[in-house]
Amino acid sequence: MIKKICKKILTILNIHADDNQKWLLWSMFFSGLLATYVSPQISKTVITQLPAEWIAFEALFSSIVALIIGMIWKGKFRHNIIKYFIIFCISECLAGFLMAMYLVFIQYNVWVLAITELIYTNFICSLVGKCIMAFKAKLWPEKEREIYDNNLSIVSGITCIIGFAIALIMMPSLNTSLFIWGLCCIIDDLGWIIVYRKNQEILKTIN
């Protein structure tokens, strides 16, 4: 009965997920919900406690890193990152979680938050994102890829609506936001870790 109701809801929402996508969509739903709920408080803190020059530097630094990673994303470098994808995923999860726990339970410092987040987002997250880009092309060619992208758009829209709506009603404190963000980092890549493990014979051989 519950399975039929869930299937009907997914059909109404125009979500058509295969076995791999189910793991990714659930992971994205929970991590996205947590991230959108706490992002207003964290964004406000960073913007109001740091000088405008930092925001400019952050944007410049992100652009330069994206350009460099894009230029070297080929050959042996690309192959090795894809080969050790699980290690990078786990590193991403632990780095975000430990940083959040440090800020909540040991010492809060806005510069520690800003600099660590800058490095975390632009290096570890970028490399994981590049791997995912290659995996998507391998797992869902052509029409299936369009369905996958549409599924992600719908789930992202749902999480943003729910998360921001809850934030409007119950805005969390900074400490609570950082703690929840740490949990979000752990959940974020779980779906892709499971999918990679299930399809590693195919994904490890990407040229």
Side-chain angles (χ1 to χ4, degrees):
M1 182 67 178
I2 295 176
K3 191 174 182 180
K4 287 183 178 180
I5 294 173
C6 290
K7 190 173 182 181
K8 190 170 183 178
I9 292 172
L10 291 175
T11 301
I12 293 171
L13 292 171
N14 194 29
I15 296 175
H16 307 281
D18 60 22
D19 288 337
N20 287 322
Q21 290 184 34
K22 288 176 184 177
W23 291 106
L24 301 176
L25 294 177
W26 277 115
S27 178
M28 180 183 176
F29 176 78
F30 287 114
S31 64
L33 193 62
L34 295 177
T36 52
Y37 174 53
V38 303
S39 64
Q41 182 64 263
I42 294 176
S43 298
K44 171 186 172 290
T45 300
V46 171
I47 290 173
T48 56
Q49 294 185 5
L50 293 176
E53 288 80 5
W54 170 258
I55 308 301
F57 171 78
E58 186 177 25
L60 176 63
F61 183 84
S62 298
S63 300
I64 293 171
V65 171
L67 175 62
I68 292 172
I69 291 179
M71 291 172 62
I72 64 176
W73 186 251
K74 57 185 177 180
K76 187 175 288 187
F77 177 80
R78 177 177 177 273
H79 176 74
N80 286 333
I81 300 297
I82 290 173
K83 183 179 178 181
Y84 297 107
F85 174 73
I86 294 288
I87 293 174
F88 278 95
C89 270
I90 293 173
S91 299
E92 181 183 21
C93 293
L94 289 177
F97 177 76
L98 292 175
M99 181 191 78
M101 295 307 106
Y102 173 85
L103 293 169
V104 172
F105 295 108
I106 299 177
Q107 183 181 12
Y108 171 76
N109 185 303
V110 69
W111 283 106
V112 173
L113 171 61
I115 293 170
T116 309
E117 185 181 24
L118 184 70
I119 295 170
Y120 168 80
T121 302
N122 287 286
F123 288 103
I124 301 177
C125 294
S126 293
L127 293 174
V128 170
K130 285 288 187 181
C131 291
I132 290 173
M133 182 174 63
F135 297 160
K136 289 192 293 186
K138 191 76 172 180
L139 293 172
W140 303 291
E142 299 178 5
K143 183 65 177 178
E144 289 81 3
R145 173 63 184 279
E146 181 184 348
I147 293 171
Y148 169 77
D149 288 340
N150 191 58
N151 288 339
L152 285 188
S153 296
I154 294 168
V155 173
S156 177
I158 292 170
T159 58
C160 287
I161 290 169
I162 297 173
F164 289 132
I166 296 173
L168 279 174
I169 300 169
M170 299 182 299
M171 184 63 69
S173 66
L174 178 59
N175 267 3
T176 301
S177 295
L178 290 171
F179 183 81
I180 292 175
W181 183 77
L183 297 180
C184 174
C185 292
I186 295 292
I187 299 170
D188 190 33
D189 288 327
L190 283 181
W192 271 111
I193 289 172
I194 294 170
V195 170
Y196 184 85
R197 294 285 295 176
K198 288 176 62 181
N199 301 273
Q200 59 183 333
E201 296 304 318
I202 298 172
L203 299 179
K204 275 187 177 180
T205 57
I206 292 177
N207 296 320

